[in-house]
Amino acid sequence: MYNFRKFENIFASEPGFAYGEQTINKILKSRRLADKVLFIDRLLETLGIERHIPDKDGTASKFAQLVFLPERYRIFIKGVWLLDRGEFANALDHLTEPVLIPTFPEEILYILCTHPAQHDGKLPLAYYYTVSPAITSPKVLEALFSKIALSSVTEAFFWSRKQCDPNRRKLFKQLIHTVLDGPEGEDRARRSVELIHLPFSKEEEAWFEALLTDGEGRDLHGAKDMLAVRAIATGKSRPTAEQGAGYGAQSDHAMDWSSLGSSYGQDSMTSLR
């Protein structure tokens, strides 16, 4: 009887075979970028195969054919093989197949969120919204939320509300940090205005003010100005002549108070850059 748990039955050695230095370096780099564990390693561990090897071309597919795995398992194995090779778009074509039961979803999501090649967040969010995995790991939750916040401040805000406490407050603070720590320019101004006009609850309003007044967010770029503009936007206060004169055209936080009157209420405002 074929014993798939025996390493030698799956990965028969070839006499004289050895990986070249370039291949070995590529595999080691892939492991470093994959949080030090490739998905072929996770798969072998799940199958009870203790000895791990580098990811040799075609090994996983040959194994799938040899043990007559159903088609959906072959699709999954090919998907994780592509994932280990950094071919993320092709990997997701396989891993988001409707016939698959999501396996290693949090691990896959974390790698997609943190890999340098996925800085724009499109593939991580595509995977998340297609598979809809339950997120139980704090580091995965934080990594995913950072991609949602970069994509849309409003979407991130309402998504954070669906999380249980204390995660909700933690994500709310992360959203403010993401906006104010963003690259300087028009995009940060637009995202700041989007944040200022969100419909905070009384509890969220208190978090917002505490973070930017006395919390770790008080030293963030534009923290004081965001508090002031939020107060004006919600009708809590109006800028005084002294404030306007004190800030002039631009404050230390690059807040253009002279443009506030004309820009407030429009879809975009360039006063928080």
Side-chain angles (χ1 to χ4, degrees):
M1 181 178 178
Y2 184 82
N3 183 2
F4 71 87
R5 297 185 186 277
K6 191 172 182 182
F7 181 89
E8 289 75 13
N9 286 348
I10 302 173
F11 304 104
S13 60
E14 300 177 13
F17 173 81
Y19 287 105
E21 183 178 356
Q22 185 177 0
T23 301
I24 291 174
N25 289 337
K26 184 178 180 181
I27 293 170
L28 293 175
K29 180 181 179 181
S30 295
R31 273 209 170 90
R32 286 195 299 272
L33 294 175
D35 208 22
K36 299 182 180 180
V37 183
L38 292 174
F39 283 93
I40 188 65
D41 299 327
R42 302 177 198 273
L43 182 60
L44 293 177
E45 183 178 357
T46 301
L47 293 172
I49 301 172
E50 296 182 359
R51 182 180 170 189
H52 295 192
I53 64 166
D55 104 284
K56 183 179 176 182
D57 290 355
T59 299
S61 297
K62 291 177 182 177
F63 166 62
Q65 295 171 3
L66 186 61
V67 298
F68 303 105
L69 284 177
E71 181 64 21
R72 66 176 182 273
Y73 293 117
R74 299 188 192 189
I75 293 171
F76 172 73
I77 290 174
K78 182 63 178 292
V80 296
W81 181 76
L82 289 167
L83 201 62
D84 282 340
R85 294 172 62 85
E87 299 179 30
F88 297 111
N90 289 337
L92 293 197
D93 284 342
H94 289 74
L95 297 173
T96 56
E97 280 284 340
V99 297
L100 294 184
I101 297 174
T103 306
F104 309 135
E106 285 192 273
E107 292 87 344
I108 292 172
L109 188 57
Y110 184 73
I111 294 303
L112 291 173
C113 287
T114 58
H115 196 283
Q118 299 304 313
H119 56 86
D120 63 1
K122 291 181 180 178
L123 288 182
L125 295 182
Y127 179 76
Y128 172 73
Y129 288 121
T130 301
V131 177
S132 299
I135 307 299
T136 59
S137 166
K139 74 174 186 178
V140 177
L141 182 68
E142 182 178 338
L144 171 62
F145 188 72
S146 70
K147 295 303 181 184
I148 298 175
L150 288 173
S151 174
S152 170
V153 173
T154 301
E155 182 181 353
F157 170 70
F158 285 107
W159 191 86
S160 71
R161 281 185 163 182
K162 299 176 183 178
Q163 311 308 309
C164 61
D165 290 329
N167 285 337
R168 190 164 70 88
R169 182 171 186 177
K170 182 179 179 181
L171 294 178
F172 182 84
K173 292 167 62 176
Q174 184 181 338
L175 177 61
I176 296 173
H177 276 271
T178 300
V179 172
L180 293 182
D181 279 339
E184 183 177 349
E186 295 296 326
D187 187 60
R188 182 166 65 189
R190 176 188 59 77
R191 289 164 58 78
S192 295
V193 173
E194 189 177 354
L195 176 62
I196 287 168
H197 286 81
L198 289 173
F200 295 165
S201 65
K202 289 183 178 180
E203 183 179 39
E204 290 162 342
E205 197 77 53
W207 295 345
F208 179 78
E209 293 177 1
L211 176 66
L212 297 182
T213 303
D214 303 314
E216 71 257 22
R218 66 184 181 275
D219 295 324
L220 289 172
H221 175 96
K224 184 195 297 185
D225 296 329
M226 181 167 280
L227 278 169
V229 178
R230 172 73 185 179
I232 297 168
T234 55
K236 289 185 177 180
S237 69
R238 291 179 175 274
T240 65
E242 182 181 352
Q243 284 177 318
Y247 281 102
Q250 285 194 320
S251 71
D252 291 339
H253 299 292
M255 173 69 179
D256 185 357
W257 281 86
S258 64
S259 67
L260 180 61
S262 60
S263 59
Y264 171 70
Q266 298 176 5
D267 290 337
S268 62
M269 182 170 73
T270 60
S271 54
L272 277 167
R273 293 195 178 124

